[in-house]
C-alpha cells in the first residue's frame, strides 16, 4: 500500500498500484537548503490514459457507485483519522518541498484532517429535494456525481488545497485524479496511501505527478475527465478554462489575488498591524488571499507604516524546522528570482523600500531561497508591483483620502479574491464591504478561514466556490425527476 520506490524516482498511483517512470522524472529541491530531496516520476499521456480508464471503471463499479452515503462517509472519516495519525509525515512532506515553517505545516495537516471530517458529515447528511408540483405529479431534484474529476493543485498549501478538493469530490461520489504541483508532489502521494489504507476502492483516487505542460494538460484534455477543479495562477486557470469550454465540461477555478487591506483613521491600529503582518508575511506571502495592497487613510498613514515597519523588522526568519521561526524561505529559487524582479520594477517605477527589499545577509540563509519581509511605499495603483500578483513577502502601501477614493482604488484591479477593512464605524464597515468587488471580506480581522464558509473569487480570481455545504454540490450535477401520480397512467 505504501510507496515502494527503492532507489528510483518516487512513483505515482494508478488503480491502487504504485507506478515509477525511471526514464522521465523531475527533481524535488528543498528551498531552505538547496539540497536535492528526491526524484519524482513524471506521468506521461499514456499514464493519464491508464489513470482515467481505471477511475472511470472504478466509478461505475457497484462497490463505489451504489455505496450508501453513510458508508462513503465512514471511509472519509477513516482518511481523516489516518491523516491525524500521520500528521507529522504530511507536515514534513510539505515543509521539505515548499519551505513553510513547521508550525504552519503542522496546522495545515490538522486542517486537512478536519476537512475530511467535515465532508464526511456533509456526505452523510446531504438530502435531495422534493419540489413544489404544478400538477398531479411528484417532482424531485436528485444530485449525482460527474464521474471522473481532475483535481489540479498549486504548491503554496498542498495539504489544505488537496483535502479541499479530494474530500468533497469523493463525498459527492466521484472518482478523482489528483495532479499536485511539480514543486510539492509528496502530500498528494501520501493522500493516495491514506486512501488505500482507509479502504477506498482502487482507482477511485489516482495521483499523477508531473508538470502542467505534460501531465496537467493531458489530464484536462482527456475525454474521460468530466469535471476539472483547479487552484493556481490566473494564466493557467484561463488556459484550463478554455479547454474546459471547448469540451463543455465544468471547471471550478480558484485563481490569483491582489487583495486590498484597508485601514481607516478610526481603526484599532495595534490590532490592524498584527493582522496586516499575518496577512502578508505568513507563509512568506505565498497565499492567494495575501493582503498585498495596503490602503491607509492619510491621517494615520505615517503612524501605521512606522508601527508596521518596526514590527515586521522583528519577524523571526528561520530554517523551517527552527523553533519559533515565523517566516521560512520562498518555495523555490526560481520564484525568488521572480519576486526580486518585481522589487526592481517597483524601484524603477518610483517606489521607496521602507523595509527589506533584498535577501537576508546571515550565513545560515545563504543556501536557501530566503527573501526579507519587504514594505514598499511611494507607488500608485498603476505600478507593476501594485497591479500584479507577486506571491511573496512584499507589501505595497498606498494612502487614500476618503471612502470614495478608497473604493475606486481598491476595486481598480483585475483580481477580486479577498479584502480586509479596519474601522470603528460599523455603518462604514458594511457600506465598504458591500462595495468591494471581492469574494471574501474580512472586517476587523484578516485571513480568518473556515471550512464551513464558501470560498472563491470575483473577476480574474476565479469561478466557483469551494468549501461549505455547497462545496460538495460543486462536484455534483442535478437531475430533475417528474413522476406522474395520475393512476390512469399506470400499467
Ligand atoms: P500554477 O498555475 O503555475 O500551477 C498550478 C497547478 O496547475 C500545478 O499543478 C501545475 O502543474 C498545473 N498547471 C499549470 N498549467 C497547466 C495547464 N495548462 N493545464 C493543466 N495543469 C496546469 O500555479 P502555482 O505557481 O503552482 O501556484 C501559485 C498560484 O496559485 C498563485 O497565483 C496563487 O494565487 C494561486 N492560488 C490560488 C488559490 C485560491 O484559492 N484562489 C489558492 C492557492 C494558490
Amino acid at each position: 500500500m505504501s510507496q515502494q520506490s527503492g532507489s528510483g524516482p518516487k512513483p505515482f498511483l494508478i488503480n491502487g498500484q504504485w507506478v515509477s517512470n525511471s526514464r522521465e522524472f523531475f527533481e524535488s529541491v528543498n528551498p531552505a537548503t538547496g539540497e536535492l530531496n528526491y526524484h519524482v516520476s513524471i506521468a506521461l499521456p499514456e499514464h493519464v490514459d491508464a489513470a482515467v480508464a481505471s477511475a472511470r471503471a472504478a466509478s461505475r463499479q457497484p462497490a463505489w457507485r451504489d455505496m450508501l452515503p453513510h458508508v462513503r462517509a465512514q471511509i472519509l472519516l477513516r482518511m481523516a483519522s489516518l491523516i491525524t495519525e500521520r500528521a507529522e509525515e504530511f507536515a514534513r512532506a510539505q515543509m521539505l518541498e515548499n519551505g513553510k515553517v513547521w508550525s504552519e505545516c503542522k496546522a495545515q495537516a490538522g486542517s486537512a484532517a478536519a476537512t475530511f471530517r467535515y465532508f464526511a458529515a456533509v456526505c452523510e447528511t446531504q438530502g435531495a429535494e422534493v419540489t413544489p408540483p404544478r400538477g398531479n405529479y411528484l417532482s424531485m431534484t436528485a444530485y449525482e456525481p460527474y464521474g471522473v474529476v481532475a483535481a489540479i493543485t498549486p504548491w503554496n498549501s498542498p495539504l489544505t488545497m488537496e483535502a479541499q478538493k479530494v474530500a468533497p469530490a469523493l463525498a459527492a461520489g466521484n472518482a478523482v485524479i489528483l495532479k499536485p504541483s511539480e514543486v510539492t508532489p509528496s502530500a498528494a502521494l501520501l493522500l493516495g496511501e491514506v486512501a488505500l489504507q482507509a479502504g477506498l476502492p482502487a482507482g477511485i483516487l489516482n495521483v499523477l505527478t508531473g508538470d502542467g505542460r505534460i501531465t496537467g494538460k493531458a489530464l484536462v484534455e482527456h475525454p474521460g475527465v468530466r469535471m476539472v477543479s483547479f487552484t493556481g495562477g490566473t494564466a493557467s486557470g484561463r488556459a484550463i478554462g478554455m479547454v474546459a469550454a471547448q469540451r463543455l465540461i465544468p471547471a471550478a477555478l480558484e485563481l490569483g489575488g491582489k487583495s486590498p487591506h484597508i485601514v481607516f483613521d478610526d481603526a484599532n491600529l495595534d490590532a490592524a498591524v498584527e493582522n496586516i503582518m499575518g496577512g502578508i508575511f505568513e507563509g512568506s506571502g505565498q497565499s492567494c488571499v495575501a493582503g498585498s495592497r495596503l490602503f491607509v487613510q492619510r491621517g494615520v498613514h505615517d503612524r501605521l507604516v512606522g508601527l508596521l515597519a518596526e514590527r515586521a523588522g522583528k519577524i523571526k526568519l528561520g530554517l523551517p524546522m527552527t523553533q519559533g521561526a515565523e517566516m521560512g524561505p520562498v518555495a523555490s529559487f526560481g520564484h525568488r528570482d521572480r519576486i526580486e524582479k518585481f522589487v526592481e520594477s517597483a524601484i524603477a517605477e518610483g517606489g521607496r523600500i521602507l523595509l527589506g527589499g533584498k535577501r537576508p545577509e546571515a550565513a545560515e540563509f545563504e543556501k536557501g531561497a530566503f527573501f526579507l519581509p519587504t514594505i514598499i511605499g511611494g507607488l500608485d495603483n498603476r505600478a507593476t508591483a501594485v497591479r500584479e500578483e507577486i506571491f511573496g513577502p512584499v507589501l505595497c502601501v498606498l494612502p487614500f483620502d476618503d471612502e470614495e477614493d478608497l473604493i475606486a482604488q481598491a476595486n481598480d484591479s483585475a483580481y477580486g479574491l479577498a479584502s480586509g477593512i479596519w474601522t470603528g464605524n460599523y455603518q462604514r464597515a458594511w457600506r465598504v464591504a458591500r462595495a468591494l468587488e471581492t469574494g471574501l471580506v474580512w472586517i476587523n480581522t484578516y485571513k480568518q478561514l473556515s471550512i464551513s464558509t464558501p470560498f472563491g473569487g470575483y473577476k480574474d480570481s476565479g469561478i466557483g466556490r469551494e468549501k461549505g455545504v455547497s462545496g460538495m454540490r460543486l462536484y455534483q450535477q442535478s437531475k430533475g425527476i417528474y413522476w406522474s401520480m395520475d393512476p390512469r397512467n399506470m400499467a
Side-chain angles (χ1 to χ4, degrees):
M1 248 186 253
S2 61
Q3 307 158 47
Q4 288 152 350
S5 60
S7 56
K10 269 185 181 244
F12 43 80
L13 179 66
I14 300 178
N15 202 26
Q17 305 294 319
W18 294 100
V19 181
S20 268
N21 183 352
S22 52
R23 276 174 297 120
E24 281 112 320
F25 47 82
F26 59 94
E27 285 186 345
S28 161
V29 172
N30 184 338
T33 60
E35 284 162 15
L36 177 73
N37 287 325
Y38 23 69
H39 289 109
V40 184
S41 300
I42 294 178
L44 302 172
E46 67 247 38
H47 298 116
V48 172
D49 273 345
V52 175
S54 87
R56 205 168 135 92
S59 68
R60 292 172 177 203
Q61 286 290 321
W64 183 247
R65 190 195 57 203
D66 301 336
M67 188 182 280
L68 294 170
H70 70 284
V71 182
R72 224 157 51 216
Q74 289 301 321
I75 297 183
L76 295 179
L77 285 174
R78 280 202 291 278
M79 287 181 74
S81 303
L82 289 162
I83 295 170
T84 306
E85 268 172 38
R86 300 177 65 177
E88 299 224 336
E89 233 180 303
F90 273 91
R92 192 175 153 72
Q94 174 170 288
M95 185 190 72
L96 281 180
E97 294 173 356
N98 75 3
K100 279 201 171 179
V101 295
W102 179 244
S103 54
E104 190 175 349
C105 293
K106 273 294 289 297
Q108 291 193 322
S111 162
T115 297
F116 274 87
R117 276 195 295 277
Y118 177 83
F119 281 110
V122 177
C123 177
E124 190 161 355
T125 54
Q126 182 201 41
E129 287 128 32
V130 174
T131 49
R134 296 172 77 93
N136 189 15
Y137 56 79
L138 179 67
S139 49
M140 295 171 273
T141 304
Y143 295 91
E144 300 187 342
Y146 283 102
V148 179
V149 169
I152 302 178
T153 51
W155 46 256
N156 61 323
S157 293
L159 289 174
T160 51
M161 303 287 148
E162 285 157 10
Q164 218 166 287
K165 295 191 187 304
V166 172
L170 293 178
N174 297 284
V176 180
I177 300 177
L178 173 60
K179 211 265 335 137
S181 162
E182 52 279 29
V183 181
T184 50
S186 292
L189 294 169
L190 281 175
L191 202 57
E193 268 188 34
V194 157
L196 295 176
Q197 256 184 302
L200 195 74
I204 293 298
L205 177 62
N206 294 318
V207 182
L208 298 181
T209 46
D211 70 12
R213 276 173 315 123
I214 298 174
T215 318
K217 185 169 177 291
L219 190 56
V220 175
E221 288 176 353
H222 200 288
V225 168
R226 301 307 312 157
M227 192 259 173
V228 180
S229 178
F230 169 80
T231 298
T234 292
S236 318
R238 190 166 274 129
I240 289 169
M242 274 156 66
V243 175
Q246 202 70 41
R247 295 198 43 226
L248 297 176
I249 60 169
L253 305 172
E254 297 282 357
L255 310 178
K258 192 76 192 176
S259 299
H261 204 157
I262 298 154
V263 183
F264 283 96
D265 57 11
D266 58 356
N268 175 337
L269 294 192
D270 291 333
V273 164
E274 277 311 304
N275 282 268
I276 293 163
M277 291 266 306
I280 184 66
F281 298 127
E282 190 186 279
S284 302
Q286 302 165 117
S287 161
C288 53
V289 295
S292 51
R293 290 186 295 153
L294 177 63
F295 291 101
V296 189
Q297 199 159 16
R298 233 175 263 280
V300 291
H301 179 275
D302 292 354
R303 186 144 68 94
L304 183 107
V305 172
L307 288 170
L308 188 64
E310 192 193 333
R311 175 67 185 87
K314 292 185 186 143
I315 288 179
K316 194 164 182 305
L317 215 59
L319 291 170
M321 264 316 252
T322 307
Q323 191 76 22
E326 291 175 298
M327 213 177 101
V330 297
S332 68
F333 292 87
H335 187 49
R336 182 176 61 181
D337 293 345
R338 197 177 155 269
I339 293 169
E340 285 176 334
K341 291 219 167 64
F342 275 115
V343 174
E344 282 164 22
S345 83
I347 296 168
E349 291 174 36
R352 273 178 293 114
I353 303 293
L354 305 176
L355 186 75
K358 55 183 186 182
R359 302 175 185 189
E361 276 153 21
E364 59 178 315
F365 303 127
E366 221 166 68
K367 293 195 178 131
F370 287 88
F371 197 75
L372 286 172
T374 296
I375 303 177
I376 305 176
L379 294 172
D380 69 22
N381 228 14
R382 287 164 301 183
T384 311
V386 179
R387 299 201 81 74
E388 292 190 24
E389 185 183 43
I390 301 177
F391 217 57
V394 180
L395 178 67
C396 296
V397 192
L398 299 96
F400 71 90
D401 294 313
D402 54 25
E403 220 172 290
E404 198 184 339
D405 174 31
L406 174 268
I407 289 166
Q409 290 198 61
N411 284 343
D412 180 19
S413 169
Y415 295 107
L417 192 53
S419 53
I421 306 165
W422 290 86
T423 177
N425 178 334
Y426 73 90
Q427 288 170 315
R428 173 153 66 196
W430 177 248
R431 272 195 311 271
V432 175
R434 297 307 301 262
L436 289 170
E437 295 164 352
T438 60
L440 260 176
V441 180
W442 285 294
I443 300 172
N444 291 336
T445 182
Y446 202 83
K447 234 177 161 186
Q448 189 86 53
L449 290 165
S450 141
I451 187 62
S452 50
T453 305
F455 176 94
Y458 282 18
K459 305 198 283 192
D460 285 6
S461 290
I463 304 175
R465 297 288 177 270
E466 292 191 290
K467 300 186 172 180
V469 174
S470 55
M472 179 166 150
R473 290 273 193 252
L474 187 63
Y475 298 98
Q476 291 176 319
Q477 46 199 337
S478 71
K479 179 179 276 179
I481 302 174
Y482 292 79
W483 190 342
S484 173
M485 293 293 121
D486 188 338
R488 290 170 303 177
N489 292 359
M490 297 281 281

